[in-house]
Amino acid sequence: MAMTRIAAPAQATAGEIIQLKVLIRHPMETGYRRDLYGKQIPRDILKRFECRYNGETVFAAELFPAVAADPFLTFYTRATESGALEFRWTDQNGNVTSETRQLDVQ
Amino acid sequence: MSDKHLLSRRRVLEYGSGLLAIAMIPAPALAAPTDADAAHQALFGDRTVTEGRVVLKVPPISENGYSVPLSVEVDSPMTEDDHVVRIAIFSEENPLPDVARFELGPRAGKARIDTRIRLGNTQKIRAVAEMNDGALYGTSTFSIVTLAACVL
């Protein structure tokens, strides 16, 4: 499991637009670099990030090798009801890293 | 000569030949603006792109091409009837023209995304936003890269 850092508010008022910041530890190896001996370093990237709010996808990003290592994303969503915010990263081999945060909406 | 030497003759030869091999490898050809055009066409087809509504912010001088802060914001109320569905970022000079694509909806509340990207060269970066009615809005910005993410 990759290390992740998520900044999401624990509480919000209904209708409020909340900011979500996510970071995941990942080399995002482009596949263009070569090692000391000139051997190509194979590509290893995260392909997709999704944010699900009570199961519904509210934001998604497709990532390419041009995204910097340790991909960092800031995005927004409107707080509608209390529930779970799930953050999912999928790498090129289909491995998923998932984190969940509870959001309490008054 | 003992093995304790950090730089034995053997080591120097090994690493030296490795570096030489790296130096001899041609760098992957950087993309040309035409590749960004092709990537744009593959995603959005021939629809016309209107300038405006999209604000793309990249520092005019990027000191480190390995990590360049990028912010994109689209002027949209993000309601059920009028919202952004997709934002694509293209690079004109990176080995691959695609940088990132974002999928949004009315639940996003605000069409703004911040991230960090890699730039392989001094270049123009483009952002195109697709609205729910199919209209396309775009902009581009230029960034001088002092330390390029050389082979990305």
Side-chain angles (χ1 to χ4, degrees):
Chain A
M1 242 356 164
M3 188 275 277
T4 58
R5 292 190 72 178
I6 293 164
Q11 276 136 31
T13 51
E16 186 188 341
I17 294 168
I18 56 168
Q19 184 189 54
L20 303 165
K21 291 190 197 178
V22 298
L23 184 144
I24 184 168
R25 201 118 178 98
H26 196 280
M28 291 298 278
E29 192 57 60
T30 60
Y32 294 115
R33 296 200 310 153
R34 290 177 187 265
D35 65 12
L36 198 57
Y37 297 99
K39 205 169 135 265
Q40 200 148 17
I41 306 169
R43 181 169 291 177
D44 176 16
I45 64 161
L46 292 167
K47 298 283 276 187
R48 193 172 169 82
F49 166 77
E50 264 180 46
C51 172
R52 295 181 186 171
Y53 191 158
N54 280 340
E56 195 191 329
T57 303
V58 290
F59 173 79
E62 257 183 87
L63 310 175
F64 293 87
V67 172
D70 301 339
F72 169 71
L73 284 164
T74 306
F75 56 96
Y76 300 83
T77 192
R78 196 182 292 277
T80 48
E81 75 253 320
S82 294
L85 285 165
E86 192 200 357
F87 306 94
R88 288 168 69 89
W89 292 264
T90 312
D91 76 3
Q92 58 183 24
N93 303 317
N95 299 322
V96 175
T97 304
S98 171
E99 284 284 328
T100 306
R101 291 286 182 279
Q102 288 302 318
L103 176 68
D104 188 21
V105 177
Q106 278 109 23
Chain B
M1 198 182 286
S2 80
D3 281 344
K4 277 183 211 143
H5 282 104
L6 202 61
L7 277 178
S8 67
R9 189 214 286 261
R10 181 162 293 174
R11 281 242 137 133
V12 168
L13 284 173
E14 267 176 18
Y15 288 154
S17 59
L19 287 172
L20 194 65
I22 291 170
M24 287 191 302
I25 294 158
L30 292 175
T34 48
D35 288 347
D37 291 340
H40 173 97
Q41 190 147 17
L43 201 59
F44 297 114
D46 284 325
R47 286 180 278 163
T48 44
V49 181
T50 316
E51 276 285 322
R53 281 185 79 171
V54 183
V55 178
L56 177 64
K57 281 186 189 153
V58 178
I61 296 175
S62 308
E63 286 181 10
N64 180 1
Y66 287 97
S67 180
V68 181
L70 173 143
S71 133
V72 61
E73 183 159 15
V74 185
D75 175 23
S76 163
M78 295 305 277
T79 57
E80 202 64 56
D81 303 327
D82 182 7
H83 59 263
V84 180
V85 291
R86 187 155 57 167
I87 302 172
I89 312 289
F90 300 109
S91 142
E92 293 195 351
E93 301 279 342
N94 278 2
L96 285 175
D98 285 302
V99 176
R101 294 174 195 162
F102 307 111
E103 294 160 29
L104 299 96
R107 293 199 58 181
K110 186 170 166 184
R112 178 182 170 139
I113 297 125
D114 291 75
T115 187
R116 295 187 196 132
I117 64 161
R118 290 177 174 138
L119 292 178
N121 212 339
T122 292
Q123 60 179 292
K124 222 162 140 185
I125 302 110
R126 305 182 195 168
V128 180
E130 185 181 21
M131 303 294 167
N132 59 321
D133 61 1
L136 298 178
Y137 292 92
T139 188
S140 65
T141 184
F142 195 81
S143 188
I144 295 167
V145 180
T146 44
L147 172 66
C150 47
V151 273
L152 258 167

